[in-house]
Structure formats: structure tokens, C-alpha cells
Amino acid sequence: MKQRLLVAAIGVPLLLAVLLLAPAWATALLAAALAAVGCYELMRAAGGTEWKMLCFMPVFAFVNTLAFADTWDTGEFDGALIFVSVVLVFTAAVITHGRERSVSFATAMAAVFSGVLLPAAFACLALLREASAALALTPFIGAFMSDTGAFFAGRAFGKHKLAPAVSPHKTVEGSIGGFAGSVIGMLVFHFAARAAVRLDIGVFAAVLLGLAGSLLGQIGDLSFSVIKREFGIKDYGHLFLEHGGVLDRFDSVLFVAPAYYLILTLLFN
């Protein structure tokens, strides 16, 4: 418990400082660093020691995140970076095939997923920050308020298991509480942002974001839990001490951030 409180006491103010006070490029760098660590965590979970033969992929995850976040004027080269990442992974698989230590298909897919899709998801945090510092908070509010609502509703009313084979402690009642928590969190954000920085996303958008945030946050949480169950690990890492690794803490945000970027782009462009 002390470690959890220590991580929260340091991590939350640091995250808020980067998102709200630092320049937009700081959010892009943070997103790129998280993507690189997440890439390492997923490859190690899926491939064991095989990931060492693809040890360059966290670097590609870092670079791809900055490119997807429009940190550089890469334009059409974004697709080229994806192509090079995939080609390098399968080149390593071809070269090592048949040897005592080779890159399996599972490890190759983990490398492609973590080197391309994770950066794309993390980059959405930077894209939201580029639009508005306040909007950069929305994926965290939607995801974490859903987690909070689910936790308290599950403890108070939880009786029916939601996905026992994946996460035995999650309940249907907790899931419903997650939707309520996310919607309430986004409504509070709407009124607070309108009063503080004159950012008015509207009540309809706030409710829509709350519902989408809870739905996708819960799917993201369960999705990364499936991976942990399949490969028999408890946590992806220990970067955040008892909170686990990057993918343990940001699994729901990884699904919410792209959705929020797409929804806000469609509604306000």
C-alpha cells in the first residue's frame, strides 16, 4: 500500500505537469517513452528471451510514436516507418528460422503490435495535447473514472461475474458502475473546462465520451489481461512498483485515447 501511495503521489502530479504545464512536445516525448517501455514489456511477455533478437523494436516504438504524433513533419513517411518496422521483424524471423534460437510467429506479431499499434495509440495523447492541454486529460478521466466507478460498485453490489476466466474479480454490477463513473467524470470535466479555460465540448459530447471511455476502457483492461493469462504472468513489469508496468497502468487508456481523438475530431472538425 505504501508503494502504491508513493507512486500515486509522485506520478499523478508529474503527469499533470507534463500534460498541462509543459510544452506539447513534452507530452509527445512522454508518450514515446511509454510506448517504448510498453513495447519491451509486451515482447518480453509474449516471447520470453526471444525478444532479445528483436531488441531494436522499442527504439522503433519510440520513433514511431513521435512520427504518428506529428512531432516531425513526416507526412507520407509515417507509412514508410511502419513498413520498415514490419520488414525488419520478419527479416529477423527468416534469418533465425531453423536455428536453436529463432523468432517465433507469436514473438514477431508481438513485435509488430507493440512497435506499431502501441505507438499509434500513445500518439493520440500527444495529438489531443496539441489541440488542447485540457483535452489531453480526457482519456485519463474517462478510463480512470471508469475504473473507480467499477471498483466501488463492484465492492458494494457485485454478484454476477463479468469475465471470470479473464478477470475473476470483475462483475457486471461493477461494469455498470464503471459507465456511471466515466460519464460523471466527463460531465465534471465539461463544466470545469468551460469555466476554467472556456473549452465547451457540450453535454452530449461529454456523455458520449463517458460511455465510450468506459466501454473501451473495460475492453482494453480485459484485452491485456487475456494476454497475461495466456502467457502466465501477473504483471507486465515493475516500473510503477506494486502498480505494475506501463501496460498494467495504461491498458485502458490505450483503447480510450484513439477513440477520444476520433470522436472529438468528428464532432468538432
Side-chain angles (χ1 to χ4, degrees):
M1 180 59 71
K2 289 182 178 179
Q3 288 187 353
R4 288 178 176 269
L5 293 175
L6 177 62
V7 170
I10 297 174
V12 173
L14 180 60
L15 179 63
L16 292 176
V18 172
L19 295 178
L20 299 178
L21 302 178
W25 57 261
T27 299
L29 283 177
L30 176 62
L34 292 173
V37 176
C39 176
Y40 160 74
E41 290 176 351
L42 184 58
M43 289 176 60
R44 189 183 63 171
T49 59
E50 286 183 30
W51 83 270
K52 295 179 180 178
M53 290 179 280
L54 297 171
C55 60
F56 54 84
M57 284 308 294
V59 177
F60 271 84
F62 186 92
V63 174
N64 284 339
T65 305
L66 294 178
F68 297 155
D70 290 335
T71 303
W72 308 305
D73 186 18
T74 53
E76 64 276 9
F77 293 107
D78 288 0
L81 286 170
I82 296 174
F83 178 71
V84 170
S85 301
V86 174
V87 168
L88 286 176
V89 168
F90 279 95
T91 298
V94 169
I95 291 174
T96 61
H97 185 69
R99 298 183 180 181
E100 184 177 349
R101 295 180 66 238
S102 60
V103 176
S104 66
F105 184 71
T107 302
M109 287 299 95
V112 172
F113 179 87
S114 59
V116 176
L117 295 182
L118 287 187
F122 274 117
C124 290
L125 295 174
L127 293 172
L128 287 169
R129 173 61 181 84
E130 192 69 37
S132 165
L135 289 180
L137 292 175
T138 56
F140 298 99
I141 295 172
F144 293 161
M145 285 300 294
S146 176
D147 290 344
T148 302
F151 174 78
F152 286 108
R155 291 197 64 176
F157 309 108
K159 292 182 179 179
H160 302 88
K161 299 297 184 181
L162 180 65
V166 178
S167 187
H169 299 298
K170 295 187 184 299
T171 63
V172 174
E173 293 80 4
S175 176
I176 295 171
F179 281 97
S182 188
V183 169
I184 291 171
M186 289 309 304
L187 285 171
V188 171
F189 167 81
H190 160 62
F191 292 113
R194 188 175 66 179
V197 294
R198 297 183 180 180
L199 174 66
D200 188 351
I201 64 172
V203 172
F204 171 77
V207 172
L208 177 62
L209 290 171
L211 294 173
S214 184
L215 174 63
L216 292 169
Q218 292 184 51
I219 293 175
D221 187 356
L222 292 170
S223 296
F224 281 94
S225 292
V226 165
I227 298 173
K228 288 194 289 187
R229 298 292 177 269
E230 181 170 343
F231 293 101
I233 60 173
K234 180 179 182 295
D235 294 314
Y236 284 101
H238 303 286
L239 179 64
F240 301 113
L241 304 179
E242 289 185 0
H243 284 278
V246 167
L247 297 182
D248 296 295
R249 289 299 90 205
F250 292 89
D251 48 6
S252 54
V253 174
L254 283 169
F255 277 54
V256 176
Y260 276 19
Y261 178 70
L262 289 173
I263 291 171
L264 290 168
T265 299
L266 290 172
L267 289 178
F268 298 105
N269 277 354

